[in-house]
Amino acid sequence: LKLPFVPLHLAVNMASGPARNCLRAHVNLGSLAPRSRFGLHVWGPVAASATEWDKPLEPAGVDWYGPYFDIELAESPPEAPSGPALGLLLHCGEDKRSSLEVASPAEVPAAGSELWFGHTAGFATEAPSPERVPCGDLSTCGARAHWLTEGLIAWRAGAEAPAGSSFVLHASAAGALVDAGAAGVQNSDTDEGPHELKLLPGRLTPELAAAHPYLKDCSLLEVPHAA
């Protein structure tokens, strides 16, 4: 039996780097976020074209760090633009996450290279170590939970959590919480806690959904009485 020859170059190309005229931007996104739903809003004269808000750039792929995008760069950008040379914002509708603005064209990495942003200030041009990248999101965008009653918290990300996930409530009166990756959340400064929360089955009760219709798809977390 003679089997047909199957070329492997397609699989190799899928894992290759960005095209010569593109900059690949890796955007950090917490492990609980539904990564496939997010797109990249692009603006600034260094980009070959800006995106419309309701039509963001779709990911070229996803890895442990988050989604990554191939941004086509302009051949001759202005040397002194009036605004940022390149702006990037990861979003899903009005759910806005990591953003980056690069001031001058000279600071933008060349076409054919890659950058990583979202885990620290600015951006990196070398892939960061997974041990140094926060696995969650303590920004005002990612930490959107809603304390509905004394004993119930609604959190949209809870609905996307893998089976067996645990939920813990940390608090800092000084706003000093830090996601230290494998070391966990640090700098809690309250007398009690952290407190483990219980994920309740299903979504909001009919009464809570009627009172808060914009939270109807959120999961409910039960707060212990000690909190």
Side-chain angles (χ1 to χ4, degrees):
L1 177 65
K2 184 177 181 180
L3 298 176
F5 172 71
V6 180
L8 299 178
H9 67 276
L10 290 178
V12 174
N13 288 343
M14 290 174 63
S16 63
R20 292 184 178 180
N21 63 334
C22 290
L23 169 66
R24 177 164 290 178
H26 299 257
V27 191
N28 186 226
L29 189 60
S31 58
L32 293 182
R35 300 180 175 190
S36 61
R37 300 181 186 177
F38 284 83
L40 192 68
H41 184 53
V42 180
W43 70 97
V46 167
S49 60
T51 60
E52 298 179 15
W53 181 255
D54 58 349
K55 296 180 180 179
L57 186 64
E58 295 184 357
V62 177
D63 57 22
W64 68 268
Y65 187 80
Y68 56 85
F69 304 82
D70 289 343
I71 304 162
E72 185 178 353
L73 300 183
E75 294 184 0
S76 301
E79 295 183 0
S82 57
L86 180 65
L88 307 173
L89 170 63
L90 186 72
H91 76 102
C92 177
E94 294 303 318
D95 185 358
K96 305 171 186 176
R97 299 298 177 99
S98 299
S99 64
L100 173 69
E101 286 190 348
V102 185
S104 69
E107 296 176 285
V108 178
S113 57
E114 302 180 62
L115 63 80
W116 288 257
F117 76 93
H119 73 286
T120 186
F123 65 89
T125 54
E126 295 185 1
S129 167
E131 297 180 354
R132 296 183 176 274
V133 175
C135 55
D137 186 353
L138 292 178
S139 69
T140 55
C141 290
R144 277 197 196 125
H146 304 263
W147 208 314
L148 301 182
T149 70
E150 182 178 352
L152 292 176
I153 292 176
W155 192 32
R156 197 173 304 278
E160 305 289 342
S165 297
S166 61
F167 301 85
V168 180
L169 177 64
H170 300 264
S172 169
L177 295 178
V178 173
D179 187 339
V185 176
Q186 298 181 344
N187 295 346
S188 295
D189 56 18
T190 56
D191 294 335
E192 297 181 356
H195 301 279
E196 186 167 357
L197 307 178
K198 179 182 178 181
L199 178 64
L200 300 179
R203 299 290 189 266
L204 267 65
T205 64
E207 294 78 12
L208 289 174
H212 310 278
Y214 53 94
L215 301 177
K216 64 178 183 178
D217 293 326
C218 291
S219 291
L220 280 178
L221 299 169
E222 187 176 56
V223 183
H225 294 298

